[in-house]
PDB file of all heavy atoms in Angstrom:
ATOM      1  N   LYS D  22      13.654   6.417  27.645  1.00  0.00           N
ATOM      2  CA  LYS D  22      14.904   5.683  27.854  1.00  0.00           C
ATOM      3  C   LYS D  22      15.372   5.832  29.298  1.00  0.00           C
ATOM      4  O   LYS D  22      15.794   4.863  29.919  1.00  0.00           O
ATOM      5  CB  LYS D  22      15.977   6.195  26.889  1.00  0.00           C
ATOM      6  CG  LYS D  22      17.270   5.431  26.961  1.00  0.00           C
ATOM      7  CD  LYS D  22      18.259   5.923  25.941  1.00  0.00           C
ATOM      8  CE  LYS D  22      19.558   5.163  26.042  1.00  0.00           C
ATOM      9  NZ  LYS D  22      20.557   5.654  25.106  1.00  0.00           N
ATOM     10  N   GLU D  23      15.254   7.039  29.843  1.00  0.00           N
ATOM     11  CA  GLU D  23      15.649   7.270  31.229  1.00  0.00           C
ATOM     12  C   GLU D  23      14.772   6.487  32.201  1.00  0.00           C
ATOM     13  O   GLU D  23      15.229   6.049  33.252  1.00  0.00           O
ATOM     14  CB  GLU D  23      15.590   8.761  31.561  1.00  0.00           C
ATOM     15  CG  GLU D  23      16.665   9.576  30.901  1.00  0.00           C
ATOM     16  CD  GLU D  23      16.556  11.061  31.195  1.00  0.00           C
ATOM     17  OE1 GLU D  23      15.824  11.438  32.133  1.00  0.00           O
ATOM     18  OE2 GLU D  23      17.211  11.832  30.485  1.00  0.00           O
ATOM     19  N   LEU D  24      13.501   6.304  31.846  1.00  0.00           N
ATOM     20  CA  LEU D  24      12.568   5.571  32.701  1.00  0.00           C
ATOM     21  C   LEU D  24      12.607   4.067  32.452  1.00  0.00           C
ATOM     22  O   LEU D  24      11.919   3.309  33.122  1.00  0.00           O
ATOM     23  CB  LEU D  24      11.140   6.091  32.479  1.00  0.00           C
ATOM     24  CG  LEU D  24      10.893   7.528  32.900  1.00  0.00           C
ATOM     25  CD1 LEU D  24       9.501   7.976  32.482  1.00  0.00           C
ATOM     26  CD2 LEU D  24      11.079   7.691  34.405  1.00  0.00           C
ATOM     27  N   GLY D  25      13.370   3.635  31.451  1.00  0.00           N
ATOM     28  CA  GLY D  25      13.500   2.221  31.150  1.00  0.00           C
ATOM     29  C   GLY D  25      12.342   1.659  30.342  1.00  0.00           C
ATOM     30  O   GLY D  25      12.080   0.461  30.386  1.00  0.00           O
ATOM     31  N   LEU D  26      11.641   2.520  29.603  1.00  0.00           N
ATOM     32  CA  LEU D  26      10.507   2.081  28.784  1.00  0.00           C
ATOM     33  C   LEU D  26      10.960   1.806  27.358  1.00  0.00           C
ATOM     34  O   LEU D  26      11.863   2.453  26.841  1.00  0.00           O
ATOM     35  CB  LEU D  26       9.423   3.164  28.773  1.00  0.00           C
ATOM     36  CG  LEU D  26       8.850   3.563  30.131  1.00  0.00           C
ATOM     37  CD1 LEU D  26       7.925   4.751  29.975  1.00  0.00           C
ATOM     38  CD2 LEU D  26       8.133   2.399  30.754  1.00  0.00           C
ATOM     39  N   LYS D  27      10.305   0.846  26.707  1.00  0.00           N
ATOM     40  CA  LYS D  27      10.620   0.497  25.331  1.00  0.00           C
ATOM     41  C   LYS D  27       9.817   1.398  24.392  1.00  0.00           C
ATOM     42  O   LYS D  27       8.650   1.681  24.646  1.00  0.00           O
ATOM     43  CB  LYS D  27      10.255  -0.956  25.091  1.00  0.00           C
ATOM     44  CG  LYS D  27      10.794  -1.495  23.816  1.00  0.00           C
ATOM     45  CD  LYS D  27      10.648  -3.002  23.797  1.00  0.00           C
ATOM     46  CE  LYS D  27      11.551  -3.508  22.730  1.00  0.00           C
ATOM     47  NZ  LYS D  27      12.389  -4.584  23.141  1.00  0.00           N
ATOM     48  N   THR D  28      10.426   1.857  23.314  1.00  0.00           N
ATOM     49  CA  THR D  28       9.746   2.719  22.358  1.00  0.00           C
ATOM     50  C   THR D  28       9.739   2.082  20.977  1.00  0.00           C
ATOM     51  O   THR D  28      10.604   1.261  20.648  1.00  0.00           O
ATOM     52  CB  THR D  28      10.417   4.103  22.259  1.00  0.00           C
ATOM     53  OG1 THR D  28      11.768   3.936  21.851  1.00  0.00           O
ATOM     54  CG2 THR D  28      10.365   4.842  23.580  1.00  0.00           C
ATOM     55  N   TYR D  29       8.747   2.442  20.204  1.00  0.00           N
ATOM     56  CA  TYR D  29       8.588   1.979  18.832  1.00  0.00           C
ATOM     57  C   TYR D  29       8.301   3.183  17.955  1.00  0.00           C
ATOM     58  O   TYR D  29       7.803   4.192  18.424  1.00  0.00           O
ATOM     59  CB  TYR D  29       7.409   0.999  18.714  1.00  0.00           C
ATOM     60  CG  TYR D  29       7.564  -0.243  19.543  1.00  0.00           C
ATOM     61  CD1 TYR D  29       7.094  -0.297  20.846  1.00  0.00           C
ATOM     62  CD2 TYR D  29       8.180  -1.371  19.020  1.00  0.00           C
ATOM     63  CE1 TYR D  29       7.227  -1.436  21.612  1.00  0.00           C
ATOM     64  CE2 TYR D  29       8.318  -2.518  19.778  1.00  0.00           C
ATOM     65  CZ  TYR D  29       7.841  -2.539  21.081  1.00  0.00           C
ATOM     66  OH  TYR D  29       7.977  -3.673  21.837  1.00  0.00           O
ATOM     67  N   ARG D  30       8.592   3.065  16.660  1.00  0.00           N
ATOM     68  CA  ARG D  30       8.236   4.109  15.693  1.00  0.00           C
ATOM     69  C   ARG D  30       7.241   3.534  14.703  1.00  0.00           C
ATOM     70  O   ARG D  30       7.377   2.402  14.259  1.00  0.00           O
ATOM     71  CB  ARG D  30       9.463   4.604  14.938  1.00  0.00           C
ATOM     72  CG  ARG D  30      10.338   5.470  15.809  1.00  0.00           C
ATOM     73  CD  ARG D  30      11.121   6.428  14.982  1.00  0.00           C
ATOM     74  NE  ARG D  30      11.940   7.248  15.864  1.00  0.00           N
ATOM     75  CZ  ARG D  30      12.950   7.935  15.475  1.00  0.00           C
ATOM     76  NH1 ARG D  30      13.298   7.920  14.215  1.00  0.00           N
ATOM     77  NH2 ARG D  30      13.620   8.660  16.323  1.00  0.00           N
ATOM     78  N   LEU D  31       6.245   4.347  14.355  1.00  0.00           N
ATOM     79  CA  LEU D  31       5.206   3.932  13.417  1.00  0.00           C
ATOM     80  C   LEU D  31       5.599   4.367  12.014  1.00  0.00           C
ATOM     81  O   LEU D  31       5.942   5.531  11.787  1.00  0.00           O
ATOM     82  CB  LEU D  31       3.864   4.555  13.800  1.00  0.00           C
ATOM     83  CG  LEU D  31       2.681   4.242  12.901  1.00  0.00           C
ATOM     84  CD1 LEU D  31       2.326   2.764  12.983  1.00  0.00           C
ATOM     85  CD2 LEU D  31       1.483   5.089  13.296  1.00  0.00           C
ATOM     86  N   TYR D  32       5.563   3.424  11.070  1.00  0.00           N
ATOM     87  CA  TYR D  32       5.869   3.700   9.675  1.00  0.00           C
ATOM     88  C   TYR D  32       4.732   3.196   8.800  1.00  0.00           C
ATOM     89  O   TYR D  32       3.957   2.338   9.216  1.00  0.00           O
ATOM     90  CB  TYR D  32       7.164   3.000   9.238  1.00  0.00           C
ATOM     91  CG  TYR D  32       8.408   3.572   9.864  1.00  0.00           C
ATOM     92  CD1 TYR D  32       8.949   3.005  11.013  1.00  0.00           C
ATOM     93  CD2 TYR D  32       9.044   4.676   9.316  1.00  0.00           C
ATOM     94  CE1 TYR D  32      10.096   3.526  11.600  1.00  0.00           C
ATOM     95  CE2 TYR D  32      10.187   5.202   9.886  1.00  0.00           C
ATOM     96  CZ  TYR D  32      10.708   4.619  11.032  1.00  0.00           C
ATOM     97  OH  TYR D  32      11.829   5.141  11.596  1.00  0.00           O
TER      98      TYR D  32
END
Side-chain angles (χ1 to χ4, degrees):
K22 184 177 179 182
E23 289 178 15
L24 295 173
L26 301 173
K27 192 168 197 131
T28 59
Y29 299 90
R30 287 207 179 162
L31 179 66
Y32 291 95

